[in-house]
Amino acid sequence: MIRVGVLALQGDFAEHATALRRAGAEVSEVRLPRDLAGLQGLIIPGGESTTIARLMIIYDLLEPVQALARRGFPIWGTCAGAIMLARHAIGLDRPNLGVMDMTVRRNAFGSQIDSFEIDLPVHGLHAPFHAVFIRAPVIESTGPDVEVTAALPDGRIVAARQGNLLATAFHPELTGDQRLHELFVSIAEGQAPAGAK
Amino acid sequence: MTTDHVTGTWTVKAGLAQMLKGGVIMDVVNVEHAKIAEEAGACAVMALERVPADIRAQGGVARMSDPEMILEIKAAVSIPVMAKARIGHFVEAQVLEAIGIDYIDESEVLTPADERHHIDKHAFKVPFVCGCRNLGEALRRISEGAAMIRTKGEAGTGDVVEAVRHMRQVMDDIRMLQNALDDELYAIAKDLQAPVELVRKVKELGRLPVVMFTAGGIATPADAAMMMQLGADGVFVGSGIFKSGNPEQRAKAIVKATTHFRDASIIAEVSKNLGGAMSGLAARSIPEKELLATRGW
């Protein structure tokens, strides 16, 4: 069985775990570097990026996750998780993973009353995906190796992929639609388990 | 396919609370406190003029805070900002929505404005959190539109005993439902004074249909971790941080203990040399009519 980790420092990690199990993966929560051993993929959930960044630094998680990302390990960040992956994260006051060649702006839509839902076409999916944006970031620009996989009707980028790294500004874990979790699990299937640290 | 962008839906209202899970929401009374809270890793702040311990000590009518003060705090931090409205005071809530607050706490810590009706929270785009002491109270608030629940505890005391009582009561009520037969849910709903649809939903899910934080008396990292182990999705800390000897360090310690709530060695580490916790007030010593938790119906 595929073993996927969910970073469980803060945020909606339980919702991701439920979605991953439905998509056929075995799930474990990651709070410390030793929890990465044996995983074939990692999800960084939605939450507060300031909180998640601080706790990743304090508990020495940045470096081992960066090392995995550089070796092509599958990692998917949703919302705050996408902010953690970006090379440039505008509005984040701490270092992040910085492994995806893109610039992300935190909280790009305003206050909570501006949070919204919309149906979006997503690359690789046949039918539109119901996307939920909560105090969400946008991807302002992407490098040459990054494929844009979804954009809003006004053109703003909200999902991207670079090799085995995925970023979505929205929250598939809140919708009950399994397709993106199934896609991620299928990517993780090809990955050898991470070594013990 | 709707290419329309819709705001203020139940999913986005309940969804923000889902993003706060596993985190700590701290009461702050000024910009300096707000920055300390954000720096410590709070996932949101509650902007208010007086922390509950001071409201309790000073007495008088406690109302919504000055919108200018709330806006200053909102401008100073990048994390979500919550603010309190009085129970039933729907115009205070309209004001907080108008200034773009991220979440409204319809709170028993303020003096109630209506002793029969809570705010109709479905009428708002901004989400609400409300307090509860048991499952029935939680479901009444959810039926009125609350997108997040916190157990009440007894605010401003630094005594965790009421927080424990209320969390255990909600969990006990949920376990009772899970053991009930489907045809018993109607009578249970009547006893709980809650809509049967929500009662059925709780039985199916084995938990509340919205996020549930703990509140009211959390003062130490161990308090926070205990409430998480008892089933809280996250922690509100009111007076416990800024009424303590070393707010910066205590705030950081409570954030870490909330993340690593099952790891006693980490909780031990962060509990070292924190200085004095808030001196507090034993909840048992408070006369019945001065309890805050009994406000709300």
Side-chain angles (χ1 to χ4, degrees):
Chain A
M1 207 174 188
I2 309 301
R3 242 184 98 200
V4 176
V6 183
L7 191 70
L9 297 172
Q10 192 272 322
D12 70 336
F13 49 87
E15 286 79 351
H16 272 294
T18 302
L20 281 170
R21 286 187 193 105
R22 285 195 191 131
E26 194 183 320
V27 184
S28 50
E29 293 181 351
V30 175
R31 291 185 173 80
L32 294 169
R34 62 175 186 240
D35 302 330
L36 293 166
L39 300 181
Q40 291 162 273
L42 177 70
I43 288 182
I44 306 176
E48 270 308 309
S49 52
T50 53
T51 306
I52 294 172
R54 279 163 175 69
L55 290 165
M56 284 195 84
I57 294 165
I58 292 167
Y59 291 101
D60 299 321
L61 277 156
L62 281 186
E63 214 176 277
V65 176
Q66 278 164 342
L68 287 171
R70 292 200 186 101
R71 295 206 304 267
F73 189 82
I75 304 176
W76 176 18
T78 63
C79 193
I83 295 167
M84 292 308 297
L85 289 174
R87 176 138 316 145
H88 303 288
I90 301 168
L92 183 67
D93 62 354
R94 284 289 192 282
N96 66 351
L97 292 166
V99 289
M100 260 183 98
D101 189 12
M102 60 183 188
T103 298
V104 165
R105 180 178 294 279
R106 270 184 81 207
N107 198 13
F109 297 93
S111 292
Q112 168 62 14
I113 46 174
D114 304 305
S115 291
F116 64 99
E117 301 179 47
I118 191 168
D119 285 343
L120 283 185
V122 177
H123 228 252
L125 301 181
H126 296 297
F129 198 91
H130 188 68
V132 178
F133 291 83
I134 296 172
R135 284 175 46 94
V138 291
I139 300 169
E140 291 201 332
S141 61
T142 53
D145 297 333
V146 177
E147 176 199 4
V148 172
T149 54
L152 291 171
D154 66 9
R156 282 185 285 181
I157 303 167
V158 291
R161 179 172 179 175
Q162 175 185 325
N164 285 341
L165 303 176
L166 278 63
T168 53
F170 51 93
H171 295 282
E173 73 279 13
L174 297 186
T175 57
D177 186 334
Q178 294 302 122
R179 290 175 293 162
L180 287 172
H181 285 86
E182 283 163 8
L183 173 73
F184 186 70
V185 169
S186 73
I187 293 169
E189 267 167 338
Q191 174 66 38
K197 167 95 189 166
Chain B
M1 166 175 172
T2 53
T3 48
D4 290 350
H5 150 155
V6 250
T7 59
T9 61
W10 176 256
T11 302
V12 299
K13 286 157 94 175
L16 177 55
Q18 288 170 282
M19 298 312 135
L20 301 173
K21 283 167 72 175
V24 182
I25 301 171
M26 302 182 190
D27 278 4
V28 297
V29 299
N30 55 41
V31 166
E32 183 204 345
H33 284 186
K35 287 183 169 164
I36 290 172
E38 183 174 47
E39 185 57 35
C43 65
V45 291
M46 176 79 69
L48 73 179
E49 277 166 352
R50 295 180 288 170
V51 294
D54 289 334
I55 291 174
R56 192 181 278 289
Q58 291 161 12
V61 176
R63 309 177 177 91
M64 176 186 79
S65 299
D66 180 346
E68 180 63 27
M69 171 267 177
I70 297 170
L71 286 169
E72 279 170 17
I73 288 175
K74 197 168 148 53
V77 295
S78 66
I79 55 181
V81 177
M82 301 185 166
K84 290 183 193 288
R86 282 179 267 178
I87 289 173
H89 206 314
F90 52 88
V91 174
E92 285 188 349
Q94 289 166 6
V95 168
L96 293 173
E97 181 173 63
I99 65 170
I101 211 73
D102 294 302
Y103 235 96
I104 296 175
D105 183 7
E106 186 183 18
S107 176
E108 71 282 2
V109 167
L110 304 184
T111 311
D114 191 322
E115 295 196 336
R116 182 164 163 78
H117 304 286
H118 281 250
I119 297 169
D120 172 13
K121 294 165 276 287
H122 291 295
F124 290 79
K125 282 198 166 185
V126 63
F128 283 73
V129 54
C130 289
C132 79
R133 286 161 296 168
N134 52 52
L135 180 60
E137 197 174 9
L139 296 183
R140 287 194 291 282
R141 299 293 86 79
I142 294 166
S143 74
E144 296 155 1
M148 178 178 183
I149 290 292
R150 56 176 171 74
T151 49
K152 284 177 174 173
E154 188 58 29
T157 60
D159 184 350
V160 78
V161 67
E162 294 301 307
V164 169
R165 186 190 317 282
H166 299 154
M167 183 61 66
R168 283 199 185 271
Q169 184 64 53
V170 172
M171 292 310 199
D172 195 39
D173 292 344
I174 292 172
R175 283 189 295 268
M176 175 272 290
L177 269 190
Q178 288 183 290
N179 284 323
L181 300 174
D182 285 345
D183 66 358
E184 294 169 342
L185 297 181
Y186 304 95
I188 291 172
K190 194 175 130 200
D191 293 343
L192 292 175
Q193 299 177 50
V196 72
E197 299 74 28
L198 286 175
V199 170
R200 192 174 289 122
K201 185 91 184 161
V202 171
K203 186 189 171 197
E204 273 168 33
L205 297 173
R207 56 159 293 141
L208 289 187
V210 300
V211 166
M212 177 173 63
F213 271 44
T214 179
I218 288 86
T220 69
D223 287 350
M226 174 171 66
M227 297 313 300
M228 294 294 289
Q229 289 194 26
L230 285 173
D233 290 321
V235 179
F236 279 94
V237 188
S239 319
I241 289 172
F242 290 101
K243 287 286 166 190
S244 75
N246 187 344
E248 288 91 341
Q249 206 186 334
R250 182 166 297 267
K252 287 179 185 165
I254 292 177
V255 168
K256 291 175 193 166
T258 300
T259 291
H260 297 284
F261 67 95
R262 291 191 197 282
D263 191 330
S265 60
I266 289 182
I267 299 165
E269 194 55 43
V270 304
S271 299
K272 289 177 184 168
N273 303 312
L274 278 187
M278 71 179 282
S279 63
L281 178 65
R284 278 259 175 219
S285 70
I286 302 171
E288 186 78 30
K289 67 179 178 25
E290 289 174 24
L291 292 173
L292 300 177
T294 54
R295 295 168 166 179
W297 3 95

